[in-house]
């Protein structure tokens, strides 16, 4: 059609200059889902290809000005569109259509056909103003309705007459031209309130639609398209959360390089090594998020200590809520085996070394290990750390053997034999010496300080002399010049002072405070007073006499003798600058991240053992606070006798890391073989041998086991397990017994499996149910027995307070009253008594008292042991109680213990009044905080999950906003986890069984 052809004038370029309001920048909305031509990049993936109309409306183009006042908007309309007026073209099209219609139907005058608009088509209107777009849409909608009503191909609506007459004639005056309609629409828009531009509203709607489409695309993206965005394959929202929750705006160069390595992109195994405080964990977290969000696979994050697990759970709970994945804690007695199988959400399991191994075993047993996309191991060098290193090796070997799709990432400080670990894990290696803050290492000998310089012949280069005047009295009390070294930096800067023993920490802290000036007392005096009150509240009115003296000076000690609440309060006060000096043991360096301007090593010893190179590097690595200090420094205090050994300590390469499967007479290898048979991974000696070729032990076999072959070692393990009645050998086929299955599933040490079975069997004969004492005795950990040295007078006094039934129960397990009385009287007992049972009963009495009173301080004073030891005993007992519970679940004869131990595990895990337990399930909420929350009206987990963090800060004294946010986020995650578990159970119950018999 000529008219229609004449209308094909191409795309219009309309540029609008706003007089009343500037166009807002949209740069912040340009994300990975923004069309490529908008970002200036290449063509996007299908995720970015949104509706062309959205693109054209959002596009920027050249413009002509228009007026915003009340003058005639259409008087010179041609000038707006320069050389091509839409109105003029519409008039031409109408005229041509009428002429054509008149030729075909002379009697049907002034009939307006929608074919005019068909002639114009969609394309020319894409860049029109909002009002013209609205007009186009209205007319097309009317035409669409007409077609549906009449079922006719003709666009002009009419109702057919019964006598066959044509459509009725419409008066000429009744016809409204397209141009008139367009003008009316535009005038209506112009008369609208000018507060918000209609075009702006339309663009806002378009932006919202773009975001919605993008989010839908993210949700439906397949595993073949993991790259969802510009932040290392993650949505831009992750980058925003990193800034919002962590304050991280950009990554270090090494982090970007590491994340862009080919092996990372190809999901190969990776070991990366950097000095302490280099930012290793952030890389692991980004890789974890990519696995959870892009590949929709679960992840396992293994950390060495319970405190680190809890800290990481608190830190990542907010990410889980924002990005819709679960964060689950596996530490102590916490963790579900097997984990809840979720259909719609992925899970991040954050676990200790032991719990991580149990979790992998349960996933293998339920054939779900392939759902685990990534395993991250922090402090990978702990592979060389005794029995815990053996457990890490077992875990990683099983993952590699059973699942070919699970990626393994290991983080570590620099290792001497990294090649062995690469071979073991079939991994790439990335090493960098980056530190955000430069570290300068020094040693002090007499009153002279030397800088460590490996290039020097003697390894030390003279730096300076100490400039501090000592009186003769001070010289005797402080021969190592510790006061001089710490006062050079405190209170303006922070300082960590590592001591060889716990007692030395307390003594040194008290000694330093004796010689500090009164100015230290006035530094942040009010906040120190608050800290002292919180410490007293955490002890139910009791306050450590050493801390009472040192805290006013800004000094405190930090070691395992403190309760977990005291340690947390001291750590928070140090991080905020209220405390400027901590005297601590080496465990602080391996635990939480508490950096300092200066790190001082009181001695090159831990207890009586000379420091290892890895321990030394971990301690001095705490020097230098990123973003605060430009340099960090460490000072090792030496005696002349240690000078030569110290040269090796500070200048030698890192120690090598060796397999510990053969540690302690091969206990680790025995445990591994038992679990392999129990999990049906292997069923013959040959298969066992094949599996063990994937271990670090096999890589290092020539160095560690020269005297025998791998086959001989395997055969010896099989013989020992058969002798212990943990496995059976039937025509070369290996099978696990019920006792063997209970042992590996409960993660019970093989040394104690038989003893535990006998104790539980004997306990069934005369189980005392009117008291917790018998059950507490049965779950008192065997590995703490050697650390117990009973005070016989205290033992006898507590024994006499027991009921008659409890005393009979004690005699039944081998600890009669007569024996305790004679030992208390100082008499020699000729009759042989089981020493292990006596010590275990003493520890059981400590736990029994704690369950009754729930006050660590009073119990520690009564038994004259440190409150830290009481709490360690409590934590170990709750974990072992959980193990014993799993042990009894596998053995039918122990059915009475199951319900009893489930409740006891819960009591031991928290050891508080029953009403506080729901609050203490939240990561980071300890007893004193739970009491504050309960008193403020937050009595349930649901209360906390729905709390306003700002209201929490107001209601709870000295609760910081960051802490409140973490508490609320952790509570929400727990509620969500419990609700999801219930929903999964409901779905499973309602789903028809897959093996339903068919007729």
């Amino acid at each position: 059609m000529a008219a229609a052809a004449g209308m094909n004038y191409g795309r219009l370029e309309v540029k609008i200059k706003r007089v009343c309001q500037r166009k807002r920048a949209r740069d912040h909305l340009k994300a990975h889902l923004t069309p490529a031509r908008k970002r200036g990049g290449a063509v996007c993936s299908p995720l970015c290809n949104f509706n062309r109309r959205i693109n054209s409306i959002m596009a920027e183009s050249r413009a002509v000005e228009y007026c915003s006042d009340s003058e005639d908007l259409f008087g010179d309309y041609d000038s707006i569109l320069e050389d091509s007026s839409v109105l003029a073209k519409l008039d031409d099209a109408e005229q041509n259509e009428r002429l054509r219609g008149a030729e075909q139907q002379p009697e049907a005058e002034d009939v307006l056909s929608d074919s005019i608009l068909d002639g114009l088509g969609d394309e020319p209107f894409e860049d029109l103003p909002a009002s013209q777009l609205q007009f186009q849409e209205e007319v097309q909608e009317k035409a669409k309705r007409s077609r549906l009503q009449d079922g006719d191909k003709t666009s002009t609506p009419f109702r057919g007459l019964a006598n066959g007459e044509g459509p009725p004639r419409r008066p000429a005056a009744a016809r409204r031209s397209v141009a008139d309609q367009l003008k009316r629409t535009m005038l209506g828009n112009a008369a609208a309130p000018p507060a918000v531009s209609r075009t702006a509203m339309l663009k806002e709607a378009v932006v919202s639609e773009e975001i919605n489409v993008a989010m839908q695309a993210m949700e439906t993206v397949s595993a073949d398209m993991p790259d969802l965005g510009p932040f290392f394959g993650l949505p831009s929202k992750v980058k925003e959360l990193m800034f919002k929750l962590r304050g991280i705006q950009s990554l270090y160069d090494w982090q970007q390089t590491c994340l862009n390595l080919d092996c990372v992109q190809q999901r190969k195994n990776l070991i990366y090594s950097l000095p302490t405080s280099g930012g290793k964990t952030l890389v692991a977290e980004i890789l974890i998020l990519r696995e959870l969000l892009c590949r929709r696979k679960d992840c396992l994050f293994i950390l060495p200590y319970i405190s680190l697990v809890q800290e990481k759970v608190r830190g990542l709970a907010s990410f889980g809520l924002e990005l819709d994945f679960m964060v689950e804690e596996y530490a102590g007695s916490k963790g579900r085996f097997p984990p809840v199988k979720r259909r719609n959400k992925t899970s991040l399991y954050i676990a200790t070394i032991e719990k991580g191994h149990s979790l992998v075993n349960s996933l293998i047993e339920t054939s779900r290990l392939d759902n685990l996309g990534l395993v991250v191991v922090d402090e990978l060098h702990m592979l060389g750390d005794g029995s815990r290193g053996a457990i890490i090796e077992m875990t990683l070997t099983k993952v590699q053997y059973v699942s070919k799709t699970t990626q393994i990432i290991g983080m570590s400080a620099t290792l001497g034999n990294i090649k062995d670990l690469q071979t073991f894990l079939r991994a790439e290696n990335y090493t960098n010496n980056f530190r955000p803050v430069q570290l300068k290492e020094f040693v002090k000998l007499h009153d002279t300080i030397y800088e460590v310089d490996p290039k020097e012949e003697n390894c030390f280069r003279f730096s300076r002399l100490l400039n501090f005047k000592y009186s003769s009295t001070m010289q005797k009390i402080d021969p190592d010049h510790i006061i001089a070294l710490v006062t050079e930096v405190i209170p303006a800067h922070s300082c960590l002072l590592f001591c060889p023993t716990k007692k030395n920490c307390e003594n040194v802290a008290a000694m330093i405070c004796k010689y500090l000036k009164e100015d230290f007392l006035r530094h942040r005096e009010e906040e120190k007073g608050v800290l002292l009150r919180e410490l007293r509240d955490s002890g139910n009115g009791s306050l450590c006499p050493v801390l009472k003296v040192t805290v006013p000076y800004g000094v405190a000690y930090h070691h395992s003798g403190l309760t977990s609440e005291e340690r947390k309060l001291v750590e928070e006060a140090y991080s905020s600058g209220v405390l400027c000096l901590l005297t601590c043991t080496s465990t602080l360096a391996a635990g939480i991240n508490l950096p300092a301007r200066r790190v001082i090593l009181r001695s090159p010893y831990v207890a009586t053992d000379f420091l290892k190179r890895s321990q030394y590097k971990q301690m001095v690595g705490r020097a230098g606070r990123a973003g605060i200090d430009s340099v960090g420094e460490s000072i090792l205090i030496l005696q002349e006798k240690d000078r030569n050994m110290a040269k090796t300590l500070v200048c030698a390469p890192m120690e090598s890391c060796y397999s510990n499967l053969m540690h302690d007479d091969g206990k680790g290898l025995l445990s591994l073989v038992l679990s392999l048979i129990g999990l049906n991974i292997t069923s013959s000696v040959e298969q066992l041998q094949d599996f063990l070729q994937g271990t670090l032990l096999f890589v290092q076999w020539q160095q560690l086991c020269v005297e025998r072959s791998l086959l001989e070692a395997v055969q010896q393990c099989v013989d020992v397990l058969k002798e212990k009645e943990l496995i059976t050998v039937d025509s070369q086929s290996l099978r696990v017994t019920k006792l063997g299955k209970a042992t590996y599933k409960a993660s019970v040490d093989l040394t104690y499996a038989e003893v535990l079975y006998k104790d539980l069997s004997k306990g069934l004969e005369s189980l005392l149910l009117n008291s917790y004492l018998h059950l507490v005795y049965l779950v008192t950990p065997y590995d703490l027995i050697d650390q117990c040295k009973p005070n016989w007078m205290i033992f006898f006094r507590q024994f006499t307070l027991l009921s008659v039934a409890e005393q009979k129960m004690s005699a039944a397990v081998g600890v009669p009253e007569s024996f305790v009385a004679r030992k208390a009287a100082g008499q020699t007992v000729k009759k042989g008594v089981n020493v292990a049972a006596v010590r275990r009963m003493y520890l059981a009495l400590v736990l029994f008292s704690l369950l009754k009173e729930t006050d660590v301080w009073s119990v520690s004073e009564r038994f004259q042991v440190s409150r830290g030891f009481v709490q360690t005993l409590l934590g170990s007992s709750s974990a072992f109680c959980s193990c014993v519970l799993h042990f009894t679940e596998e053995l039918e004869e122990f059915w009475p213990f199951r319900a009893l131990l489930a409740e006891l595990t819960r009591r031991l895990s928290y050891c508080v009044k029953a009403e506080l337990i729901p609050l203490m399930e939240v990561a980071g909420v300890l007893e004193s905080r739970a009491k504050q929350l309960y008193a403020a009206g937050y009595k349930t987990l649901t209360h906390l999950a729905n709390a306003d963090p700002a209201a929490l800060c107001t209601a709870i004294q000295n609760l910081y906003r960051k802490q409140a946010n973490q508490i609320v986020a952790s509570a929400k995650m727990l509620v969500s986890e419990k609700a999801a578990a219930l929903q999964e159970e409901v779905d499973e119950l309602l789903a028809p069984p897959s093996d339903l018999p068919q007729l």
Side-chain angles (χ1 to χ4, degrees):
M1 185 173 65
M7 296 303 293
N8 190 16
Y9 50 83
R11 186 180 296 276
L12 294 175
E13 293 187 35
V14 182
K15 189 173 181 184
I16 300 172
K17 176 180 178 182
R18 296 187 180 277
V19 179
C20 58
Q21 185 178 0
R22 293 182 61 84
K23 181 178 179 180
R24 289 173 293 170
R26 293 284 181 189
D27 293 342
H28 66 288
L29 292 171
K30 294 180 181 178
H32 64 285
L33 293 166
T34 306
R37 57 180 172 178
K38 292 292 300 293
R39 299 198 311 265
V43 177
C44 262
S45 66
L47 295 177
C48 305
N49 294 330
F50 300 128
N51 189 286
R52 291 178 59 201
R53 179 170 296 171
I54 294 175
N55 292 347
S56 60
I57 293 173
M58 294 298 294
E60 298 172 3
S61 44
R62 293 183 300 104
V64 205
E65 297 182 11
Y66 74 93
C67 297
S68 60
D69 56 19
S70 57
E71 66 181 275
D72 183 8
L73 297 176
F74 311 111
D76 191 21
Y77 200 80
D78 285 354
S79 64
I80 296 178
L81 299 174
E82 294 176 338
D83 59 343
S84 56
S85 166
V86 173
L87 298 180
K89 286 181 170 58
L90 285 171
D91 286 335
D92 291 342
E94 281 185 87
Q95 187 63 33
N96 291 335
E97 183 68 10
R98 278 197 297 271
L99 291 173
R100 187 177 68 82
E103 293 172 0
Q104 295 176 0
Q105 301 182 37
E107 296 183 48
E109 293 181 8
D110 294 335
V111 176
L112 175 61
S113 171
D114 293 337
S115 61
I116 298 173
L117 297 175
D118 295 338
L120 291 173
D122 289 339
E123 198 70 22
F125 286 98
E126 287 192 0
D127 285 334
L128 292 179
S131 56
Q132 297 181 27
L133 283 170
Q134 185 191 24
F135 158 75
Q136 177 198 17
E137 291 168 0
E138 287 178 356
V139 173
Q140 288 179 341
E141 183 63 27
K142 290 177 181 177
K144 185 177 178 181
R145 285 199 300 267
S146 300
R147 292 190 191 102
L148 290 173
Q149 290 172 359
D150 301 332
D152 199 306
K153 298 292 182 183
T154 307
S155 55
T156 306
F158 68 93
R159 192 178 298 273
L161 301 178
N163 57 6
E165 293 179 3
R169 294 185 59 181
R170 231 177 357 169
R175 182 183 66 82
R176 180 186 297 173
S177 71
V178 176
D180 289 340
Q181 287 197 40
L182 181 57
K183 284 188 177 183
R184 286 175 178 273
T185 302
M186 293 177 70
L187 282 171
N189 290 342
V196 180
S197 163
R198 190 173 181 81
T199 306
M201 291 174 63
L202 183 63
K203 287 189 176 183
E204 289 291 344
V206 170
V207 171
S208 298
E209 184 177 350
E210 183 187 52
I211 293 172
N212 290 335
V213 173
M215 295 304 293
Q216 290 172 11
M218 282 168 52
E219 291 173 3
T220 58
V221 69
S222 69
D224 298 330
M225 299 177 60
D227 192 356
L228 292 179
F231 188 63
F232 303 102
L234 286 163
S236 299
K237 184 176 182 179
V238 175
K239 186 176 182 180
E240 294 167 7
L241 286 173
M242 284 291 179
F243 177 67
K244 177 184 174 182
L245 300 175
R246 300 277 183 81
I248 297 172
Q249 287 184 294
S250 59
L251 272 61
Y252 295 130
D253 290 343
W254 83 263
Q255 291 171 326
Q256 298 190 39
T257 301
C258 186
L259 286 166
N260 288 313
L261 291 173
D262 288 340
C263 63
V264 173
Q265 303 301 326
Q266 296 165 15
R267 297 191 69 257
K268 294 181 180 177
N269 295 348
L270 173 70
I271 301 170
Y272 61 97
S273 330
L274 282 98
T276 304
S277 304
K280 297 189 291 290
T281 306
L282 180 59
V283 170
E285 289 176 354
I286 290 173
L287 293 174
I288 286 171
L289 291 175
R290 196 155 73 181
E291 197 72 20
L292 291 166
L293 302 180
C294 303
R295 298 191 72 246
R296 306 296 296 171
K297 293 285 187 179
D298 298 333
C299 296
L300 171 60
F301 197 171
I302 298 176
L303 296 159
Y305 304 109
I306 292 177
S307 59
L308 290 177
V309 169
Q310 292 172 340
E311 184 182 353
K312 193 57 64 180
V313 168
R314 288 196 301 271
L316 291 175
S318 298
F319 284 89
L321 291 172
E322 293 284 349
L323 300 171
D324 199 31
F325 63 84
M326 291 295 186
V327 179
E328 300 183 40
E329 178 183 345
Y330 280 77
S333 60
K334 291 187 177 180
R336 189 192 298 245
F337 300 103
V340 176
K341 188 175 183 180
R342 308 188 190 284
R343 294 181 179 83
N344 302 319
K345 284 191 177 183
T346 51
S347 293
L348 168 57
Y349 310 113
I350 304 179
T352 56
I353 293 169
E354 294 77 11
K355 286 287 184 176
H357 182 230
S358 298
L359 180 65
V360 167
N361 281 347
S362 70
L363 290 174
I364 292 173
E365 188 175 30
T366 53
S367 302
R368 289 169 52 191
L369 191 63
D370 285 338
N371 292 337
L372 197 64
L374 177 64
V375 175
V376 176
V377 182
D378 195 11
E379 310 293 355
L380 186 64
H381 60 268
M382 289 189 73
L383 272 165
D385 184 17
S387 60
R388 304 193 84 205
I391 294 174
I392 297 175
E393 185 175 348
M394 287 188 264
T395 304
L396 297 182
T397 309
K398 287 175 184 175
V399 168
Q400 288 195 105
Y401 189 87
V402 177
S403 174
K404 305 304 179 187
T405 59
T406 304
Q407 184 184 16
I408 295 174
I409 302 290
M411 299 182 283
S412 175
T414 306
L415 293 169
N417 60 338
I418 194 71
K419 291 291 183 184
D420 285 356
L421 299 189
Q422 281 186 257
T423 305
F424 162 48
L425 294 176
R426 301 189 283 277
E428 302 286 334
N429 179 41
Y430 176 80
T431 303
N432 196 302
N433 293 321
F434 170 81
R435 272 185 58 91
V437 178
Q438 181 188 0
L439 172 63
K440 292 186 177 180
E441 297 178 39
F442 299 92
V443 297
K444 187 191 84 68
L445 195 62
H446 306 301
D447 61 350
T448 307
I449 293 180
Y450 301 88
E451 185 170 0
V452 175
D453 187 356
K455 298 176 183 177
E456 290 285 324
E457 184 178 351
N458 292 322
C459 202
F460 304 137
R461 185 179 68 247
F462 174 80
S463 177
R464 64 188 174 94
L465 291 173
L466 268 180
N467 183 22
F468 194 91
K469 292 182 180 181
Y470 268 72
S471 65
S472 57
T473 307
M474 282 183 66
Q475 186 66 38
K476 289 178 182 178
I477 294 175
D478 182 22
D480 294 324
H481 309 102
I482 293 173
I483 296 171
L485 293 174
V486 300
T487 51
E488 286 180 344
V489 289
I490 65 171
H493 301 285
S494 58
C495 181
L496 291 176
L497 175 55
F498 286 100
C499 301
T501 65
K502 290 184 283 188
K503 192 61 181 175
N504 193 231
C505 288
E506 299 177 34
N507 293 340
V508 170
M511 182 269 292
I512 291 172
C513 291
K514 286 181 181 178
Y515 293 96
L516 292 179
K517 298 177 181 178
E518 289 189 4
D519 293 346
F520 284 85
L521 293 171
R522 291 189 287 273
H523 182 71
R524 304 185 74 163
E525 185 176 4
E526 185 178 341
E527 290 162 285
K528 291 171 188 171
V530 171
L531 174 60
L532 285 172
R533 286 199 301 273
E534 290 185 326
L535 287 168
R536 184 176 282 106
D537 291 342
S538 73
N540 290 323
S542 301
L543 177 62
C544 171
V546 177
L547 292 177
K548 184 178 180 180
V549 172
T550 61
V551 166
Y553 287 92
V555 179
Y557 67 89
H558 184 290
H559 58 61
S560 60
L562 294 171
T563 66
S564 55
E565 290 192 303
E566 287 176 312
R567 283 200 299 271
K568 188 176 180 185
L569 288 170
V570 166
E571 289 160 8
E572 289 173 353
Y574 176 81
S575 297
S576 61
V578 175
L579 297 176
C580 55
L581 171 64
L582 290 186
T583 59
C584 50
T585 53
S586 59
T587 53
L588 182 140
I592 53 168
N593 183 24
L594 292 178
R597 172 65 173 269
R598 175 177 288 181
V599 169
I600 302 170
L601 279 68
R602 168 78 174 77
S603 164
Y605 291 89
V606 173
T608 57
D609 299 326
F610 200 81
L611 276 178
K612 295 178 181 178
R613 170 76 172 163
S614 57
Q615 289 175 312
Y616 168 78
K617 293 300 288 183
Q618 233 173 6
M619 291 180 188
V620 302
R622 295 301 178 200
R625 298 164 298 173
I628 301 174
D629 298 326
S630 57
V631 66
E633 56 188 21
S634 67
I635 300 174
L636 170 62
I637 299 175
L638 294 176
Q639 307 301 323
E640 191 64 49
K641 64 183 179 67
D642 299 321
R643 182 168 189 159
N644 290 329
M645 291 179 69
K647 288 180 183 178
T648 305
L649 177 65
V650 299
C651 295
M654 295 292 287
E655 299 100 339
S656 295
C657 176
Y658 293 106
S659 169
N660 273 274
L661 286 179
M662 300 304 294
H663 174 72
D664 197 6
D665 297 326
K667 188 192 295 183
L669 186 60
L670 274 173
S671 179
L672 175 59
V673 170
L674 175 63
S675 64
L676 292 175
I677 298 170
L679 292 168
N680 295 320
I681 296 175
T682 58
S683 59
S684 67
V685 172
E686 292 73 20
Q687 289 177 344
L688 283 171
Q689 189 176 3
D690 178 58
F691 179 93
L692 292 175
Q693 289 178 0
T695 62
L696 178 61
L697 175 64
F698 182 77
V699 175
Q700 299 172 336
W701 190 266
Q702 294 301 317
Q703 300 162 270
L704 300 176
C705 307
V706 179
E707 71 280 0
R708 56 178 171 164
S709 68
L710 178 63
L711 182 59
E712 290 173 336
V714 172
Q715 189 60 58
Q716 183 181 353
C717 286
V718 170
D719 293 340
V720 171
L721 293 172
K722 183 181 177 183
E723 184 182 342
K724 288 178 176 289
E725 298 182 350
L726 299 175
I727 65 169
T728 59
V729 181
D730 180 21
S731 65
Q732 302 304 313
S733 180
L734 307 177
R735 293 286 182 269
V736 71
T737 64
K738 288 185 177 181
L739 178 59
K741 185 177 183 182
T743 301
Y744 87 78
K745 288 195 73 172
S747 300
V748 173
D749 192 316
L750 291 181
T751 309
Y752 307 123
E754 188 177 357
V755 180
L756 176 62
Y757 183 84
K758 288 179 178 178
D759 284 346
L760 291 172
S761 299
K762 191 174 181 180
L764 277 179
E765 296 173 7
S766 56
L767 184 61
L768 182 66
L769 292 177
N770 62 353
S771 165
Y772 271 116
L773 181 60
H774 199 171
L775 286 173
V776 166
Y777 173 82
L778 290 173
V779 300
T780 299
Y782 294 103
D783 55 1
L784 289 180
I785 291 174
D786 292 338
Q787 300 180 30
C788 175
K789 295 181 180 179
N791 182 312
W792 297 109
M793 284 302 297
I794 294 174
F795 198 166
F796 181 66
R797 192 179 302 122
Q798 294 303 312
F799 195 96
T800 57
L801 296 175
L802 298 176
S803 68
V804 174
E806 290 166 345
Q807 290 182 1
K808 285 182 179 179
M809 169 253 142
S810 179
V813 298
V815 189
E817 181 183 10
S818 58
F819 170 79
V820 180
R822 287 183 180 182
K823 292 295 288 185
Q827 299 177 9
T828 303
V829 181
K830 295 180 180 179
K831 187 179 179 181
V833 174
N834 187 337
V835 177
V838 173
R839 292 180 175 179
R840 198 175 184 215
M841 177 55 70
Y842 188 74
L843 292 175
L845 286 175
V846 176
L847 286 169
F848 186 54
S849 298
L850 195 57
L851 279 179
K852 287 194 295 185
E853 298 186 21
T854 72
D855 185 356
V856 172
W857 279 82
S858 62
V859 172
S860 67
E861 289 173 5
R862 181 178 307 149
F863 287 88
Q864 294 183 10
V865 292
S866 74
R867 56 195 181 279
F869 176 77
V870 174
Q871 201 158 57
T872 300
L873 173 63
L874 180 65
S876 298
S877 298
S878 67
F880 186 60
C881 186
S882 176
C883 292
V884 176
L885 173 59
H886 292 306
F887 187 84
T888 58
E889 285 174 343
E890 297 300 323
L891 297 165
E892 186 62 34
E893 61 266 36
F894 294 142
W895 65 268
F897 284 115
R898 294 170 195 167
L900 298 171
L901 292 178
E903 176 58 24
L904 184 59
T905 301
R906 191 165 179 262
R907 290 288 305 274
L908 289 172
S909 296
Y910 303 105
C911 198
V912 294
K913 293 181 179 178
E915 63 264 23
L916 298 181
I917 290 178
L919 301 178
M920 290 188 65
E921 289 180 356
V922 178
V925 174
L926 300 178
E927 184 177 1
S928 59
R929 184 71 78 203
K931 287 178 179 177
Q932 291 177 320
L933 291 167
Y934 193 86
Y938 299 95
K939 299 183 178 183
T940 66
L941 195 59
T942 311
H943 283 155
L944 277 186
N946 290 281
D948 177 12
L952 272 185
C953 292
T954 304
I956 308 299
Q957 189 178 13
N958 305 316
L959 180 66
Y960 300 114
R961 183 60 182 265
K962 181 180 178 182
Q963 296 170 324
N965 287 334
Q966 288 184 339
I967 287 173
V968 172
S970 297
K972 284 181 178 178
M973 181 57 68
L974 266 177
V975 169
S976 177
E977 184 183 328
K978 291 184 176 185
L982 291 172
Q983 186 59 53
E984 294 289 340
E985 191 175 343
V986 169
D987 293 344
E988 189 174 338
L989 285 171
L990 295 179
S994 57
D995 57 349
L996 185 68
Q998 299 294 326
L999 293 177

